[in-house]
Amino acid sequence: MKRLRGLTFSEIAFEIAGALDRAGVHAVLSGGSAATLYAPEAYQTADFDFVLLEQSQAATRERLSDELAEIGFFPAKARGTYSNSEIPFTLELLPGPLAVGSEVLTEWETLVSGDQVLRILRPEDSIKDRLAAAIHWNDLSSAKQAAYVASVKPVNLDEIKHWCASEGGQRTFESFASFLRL
């Protein structure tokens, strides 16, 4: 079994992505975990959120469990959630489709480390994801998280502004923009 204790958040994300790929499961890192990977000094999540894109015929529950067990993740009580006793993060496998608000996503970033591949929301979509939490759950801290990501990653602010308007979040975009000016 591979030990994860002492690895960085990013290294653990790559290990999980590798295990999922070996099991034939394709997934994209999303939610707060994508924001943490992009802006680790500004935001820390408590879990890894992977949205399942598809499963090939070769992927079985047993194979997935075996690959995750190889890196120390075992099923928790909540369906689709896994824990690892060595690290403070849980793993959550979420059913697709991959989306932010009402926008279904068909593109994502692909990061490579050695022979491992990590699919992750594009920075713009990570920001939209955090802003969706601000819009739909009145979570202003998520708008601050979005601003942190925007402060460290070059993004298309017009795309984000247009998306906020389509989600009914013009005020949220204004708050996000004001956080960017700090």
Side-chain angles (χ1 to χ4, degrees), residues 1 12 17 22 25 28 33 58 66 74 78-79 83 87 90 95 97-98 115 121-122 129 132 150 165-166 173:
M1 180 170 77
I12 296 168
R22 288 189 299 277
V25 175
V28 177
S33 44
D66 289 347
F74 297 95
R79 182 173 167 83
S83 61
I87 59 173
T90 58
L98 181 64
D115 63 349
L121 291 179
R122 297 177 318 125
D129 176 80
S166 72
F173 183 82

CSV table of all heavy atoms in Angstrom, one decimal, residues 1 12 17 22 25 28 33 58 66 74 78-79 83 87 90 95 97-98 115 121-122 129 132 150 165-166 173:
chain,number,residue,atom,x,y,z
A,1,MET,N,0.8,-1.2,0.0
A,1,MET,CA,0.0,0.0,0.0
A,1,MET,C,0.9,1.2,0.0
A,1,MET,O,1.8,1.3,0.7
A,1,MET,CB,-0.9,0.0,1.2
A,1,MET,CG,-1.8,1.2,1.3
A,1,MET,SD,-3.1,1.1,2.6
A,1,MET,CE,-2.2,1.5,4.0
A,12,ILE,N,-1.3,14.2,-3.4
A,12,ILE,CA,-2.4,13.3,-3.1
A,12,ILE,C,-3.5,13.3,-4.2
A,12,ILE,O,-4.0,12.2,-4.6
A,12,ILE,CB,-3.1,13.6,-1.7
A,12,ILE,CG1,-2.0,13.5,-0.6
A,12,ILE,CG2,-4.3,12.7,-1.4
A,12,ILE,CD1,-2.5,14.0,0.8
A,17,ALA,N,-6.1,10.4,-8.6
A,17,ALA,CA,-6.5,10.4,-10.1
A,17,ALA,C,-5.8,9.2,-10.7
A,17,ALA,O,-6.5,8.5,-11.6
A,17,ALA,CB,-6.0,11.7,-10.7
A,22,ARG,N,-6.4,3.8,-13.1
A,22,ARG,CA,-6.1,2.4,-13.2
A,22,ARG,C,-7.3,1.5,-13.0
A,22,ARG,O,-7.3,0.4,-13.5
A,22,ARG,CB,-5.0,2.0,-12.1
A,22,ARG,CG,-3.7,2.6,-12.3
A,22,ARG,CD,-2.6,2.0,-11.3
A,22,ARG,NE,-2.9,2.4,-10.0
A,22,ARG,CZ,-2.6,3.6,-9.4
A,22,ARG,NH1,-2.0,4.5,-10.1
A,22,ARG,NH2,-2.8,3.8,-8.1
A,25,VAL,N,-11.8,4.4,-14.3
A,25,VAL,CA,-12.7,5.5,-14.0
A,25,VAL,C,-12.1,6.8,-14.3
A,25,VAL,O,-11.0,7.2,-13.9
A,25,VAL,CB,-13.1,5.5,-12.4
A,25,VAL,CG1,-14.0,6.6,-12.1
A,25,VAL,CG2,-13.7,4.1,-12.1
A,28,VAL,N,-13.1,14.2,-12.8
A,28,VAL,CA,-12.5,15.6,-12.8
A,28,VAL,C,-12.5,16.1,-11.4
A,28,VAL,O,-13.6,16.1,-10.7
A,28,VAL,CB,-13.2,16.5,-13.8
A,28,VAL,CG1,-12.7,17.9,-13.7
A,28,VAL,CG2,-13.2,16.0,-15.2
A,33,SER,N,-11.9,21.5,-3.7
A,33,SER,CA,-10.6,20.8,-3.9
A,33,SER,C,-9.9,21.4,-5.1
A,33,SER,O,-8.7,21.6,-5.1
A,33,SER,CB,-10.7,19.3,-4.0
A,33,SER,OG,-11.8,18.9,-4.8
A,58,ALA,N,-14.4,-2.0,-18.3
A,58,ALA,CA,-13.4,-2.7,-17.4
A,58,ALA,C,-13.6,-2.3,-15.9
A,58,ALA,O,-13.1,-2.9,-15.0
A,58,ALA,CB,-12.0,-2.4,-17.9
A,66,ASP,N,-10.3,-1.9,-5.0
A,66,ASP,CA,-8.9,-2.4,-4.9
A,66,ASP,C,-7.9,-1.3,-5.1
A,66,ASP,O,-6.9,-1.2,-4.4
A,66,ASP,CB,-8.7,-3.5,-5.9
A,66,ASP,CG,-9.4,-4.8,-5.5
A,66,ASP,OD1,-9.9,-4.9,-4.3
A,66,ASP,OD2,-9.5,-5.7,-6.3
A,74,PHE,N,-10.6,3.8,2.0
A,74,PHE,CA,-11.6,2.7,2.2
A,74,PHE,C,-13.0,3.4,2.3
A,74,PHE,O,-13.1,4.5,2.7
A,74,PHE,CB,-11.3,1.9,3.4
A,74,PHE,CG,-10.0,1.2,3.3
A,74,PHE,CD1,-8.8,1.7,3.8
A,74,PHE,CD2,-9.9,0.0,2.6
A,74,PHE,CE1,-7.6,1.1,3.6
A,74,PHE,CE2,-8.7,-0.7,2.5
A,74,PHE,CZ,-7.5,-0.1,3.0
A,78,ALA,N,-21.0,7.2,4.3
A,78,ALA,CA,-21.7,7.8,3.2
A,78,ALA,C,-21.4,7.2,1.8
A,78,ALA,O,-20.2,7.0,1.5
A,78,ALA,CB,-21.5,9.3,3.2
A,79,ARG,N,-22.3,6.9,1.1
A,79,ARG,CA,-22.1,6.3,-0.3
A,79,ARG,C,-21.3,7.2,-1.1
A,79,ARG,O,-21.5,8.4,-1.2
A,79,ARG,CB,-23.4,6.0,-0.9
A,79,ARG,CG,-23.3,5.3,-2.3
A,79,ARG,CD,-24.7,4.9,-2.8
A,79,ARG,NE,-24.6,4.6,-4.2
A,79,ARG,CZ,-24.3,3.3,-4.6
A,79,ARG,NH1,-23.9,2.4,-3.8
A,79,ARG,NH2,-24.3,3.1,-5.9
A,83,SER,N,-12.4,7.3,3.1
A,83,SER,CA,-11.5,8.0,4.0
A,83,SER,C,-10.1,7.2,4.1
A,83,SER,O,-10.0,6.0,3.7
A,83,SER,CB,-12.1,8.0,5.4
A,83,SER,OG,-12.3,6.7,5.9
A,87,ILE,N,-4.4,10.7,6.5
A,87,ILE,CA,-4.5,12.1,6.1
A,87,ILE,C,-5.9,12.7,6.5
A,87,ILE,O,-6.8,11.9,6.8
A,87,ILE,CB,-4.4,12.2,4.5
A,87,ILE,CG1,-5.4,11.4,3.8
A,87,ILE,CG2,-3.0,11.8,4.1
A,87,ILE,CD1,-5.5,11.7,2.3
A,90,THR,N,-11.0,13.5,3.1
A,90,THR,CA,-11.8,12.4,2.6
A,90,THR,C,-11.9,12.5,1.1
A,90,THR,O,-11.5,13.6,0.5
A,90,THR,CB,-13.3,12.5,3.2
A,90,THR,OG1,-13.9,13.7,2.8
A,90,THR,CG2,-13.3,12.2,4.7
A,95,PRO,N,-21.5,11.7,-8.8
A,95,PRO,CA,-22.0,11.3,-10.2
A,95,PRO,C,-22.0,12.6,-11.1
A,95,PRO,O,-22.3,13.7,-10.6
A,95,PRO,CB,-23.4,10.8,-9.9
A,95,PRO,CG,-23.8,11.5,-8.6
A,95,PRO,CD,-22.6,11.6,-7.8
A,97,PRO,N,-23.6,14.7,-14.5
A,97,PRO,CA,-22.6,15.3,-15.3
A,97,PRO,C,-21.8,16.4,-14.6
A,97,PRO,O,-22.2,16.9,-13.6
A,97,PRO,CB,-23.4,16.0,-16.4
A,97,PRO,CG,-24.7,16.3,-15.8
A,97,PRO,CD,-24.9,15.2,-14.7
A,98,LEU,N,-20.6,16.7,-15.2
A,98,LEU,CA,-19.7,17.7,-14.7
A,98,LEU,C,-20.4,19.1,-15.1
A,98,LEU,O,-20.7,19.3,-16.2
A,98,LEU,CB,-18.4,17.6,-15.3
A,98,LEU,CG,-17.3,18.6,-14.9
A,98,LEU,CD1,-17.0,18.5,-13.4
A,98,LEU,CD2,-16.1,18.5,-15.8
A,115,ASP,N,4.1,10.1,-14.6
A,115,ASP,CA,3.2,9.3,-15.5
A,115,ASP,C,1.8,9.4,-15.0
A,115,ASP,O,0.9,8.7,-15.5
A,115,ASP,CB,3.7,7.9,-15.5
A,115,ASP,CG,3.6,7.2,-14.1
A,115,ASP,OD1,3.4,7.9,-13.1
A,115,ASP,OD2,3.7,6.0,-14.0
A,121,LEU,N,-11.1,21.0,-13.1
A,121,LEU,CA,-11.8,22.2,-13.6
A,121,LEU,C,-10.8,23.2,-14.2
A,121,LEU,O,-9.8,23.5,-13.5
A,121,LEU,CB,-12.7,22.8,-12.6
A,121,LEU,CG,-13.9,22.0,-12.1
A,121,LEU,CD1,-14.7,22.9,-11.0
A,121,LEU,CD2,-14.9,21.6,-13.2
A,122,ARG,N,-11.2,23.8,-15.3
A,122,ARG,CA,-10.4,25.0,-15.7
A,122,ARG,C,-10.5,26.0,-14.6
A,122,ARG,O,-11.4,26.1,-13.9
A,122,ARG,CB,-11.0,25.6,-17.0
A,122,ARG,CG,-11.0,24.7,-18.2
A,122,ARG,CD,-11.7,25.3,-19.4
A,122,ARG,NE,-12.9,26.1,-19.1
A,122,ARG,CZ,-13.1,27.3,-19.4
A,122,ARG,NH1,-12.2,28.1,-20.0
A,122,ARG,NH2,-14.3,27.9,-19.0
A,129,ASP,N,-17.6,27.6,-10.0
A,129,ASP,CA,-18.1,26.7,-9.0
A,129,ASP,C,-18.2,27.3,-7.7
A,129,ASP,O,-19.2,27.2,-6.9
A,129,ASP,CB,-17.2,25.5,-9.0
A,129,ASP,CG,-17.5,24.5,-7.9
A,129,ASP,OD1,-18.5,23.7,-8.1
A,129,ASP,OD2,-16.9,24.5,-6.8
A,132,ALA,N,-21.0,29.8,-7.8
A,132,ALA,CA,-22.3,29.1,-7.7
A,132,ALA,C,-22.7,28.9,-6.2
A,132,ALA,O,-23.9,29.0,-5.9
A,132,ALA,CB,-22.2,27.7,-8.4
A,150,ALA,N,-8.8,33.6,-8.8
A,150,ALA,CA,-8.6,34.6,-9.9
A,150,ALA,C,-7.4,35.5,-9.7
A,150,ALA,O,-6.8,35.9,-10.6
A,150,ALA,CB,-9.8,35.5,-10.0
A,165,ALA,N,-24.3,36.4,-14.6
A,165,ALA,CA,-25.6,37.0,-15.0
A,165,ALA,C,-26.6,35.9,-15.4
A,165,ALA,O,-27.8,36.0,-15.1
A,165,ALA,CB,-25.3,38.0,-16.2
A,166,SER,N,-26.1,34.9,-16.1
A,166,SER,CA,-27.0,33.8,-16.5
A,166,SER,C,-27.5,33.0,-15.4
A,166,SER,O,-28.6,32.3,-15.4
A,166,SER,CB,-26.3,32.9,-17.5
A,166,SER,OG,-25.3,32.1,-16.9
A,173,PHE,N,-21.3,38.6,-8.5
A,173,PHE,CA,-20.1,39.0,-9.3
A,173,PHE,C,-19.5,40.4,-8.8
A,173,PHE,O,-18.3,40.5,-8.8
A,173,PHE,CB,-20.5,39.2,-10.8
A,173,PHE,CG,-19.3,39.5,-11.6
A,173,PHE,CD1,-18.4,38.5,-12.0
A,173,PHE,CD2,-19.0,40.8,-12.0
A,173,PHE,CE1,-17.2,38.8,-12.8
A,173,PHE,CE2,-17.8,41.2,-12.7
A,173,PHE,CZ,-17.0,40.2,-13.1
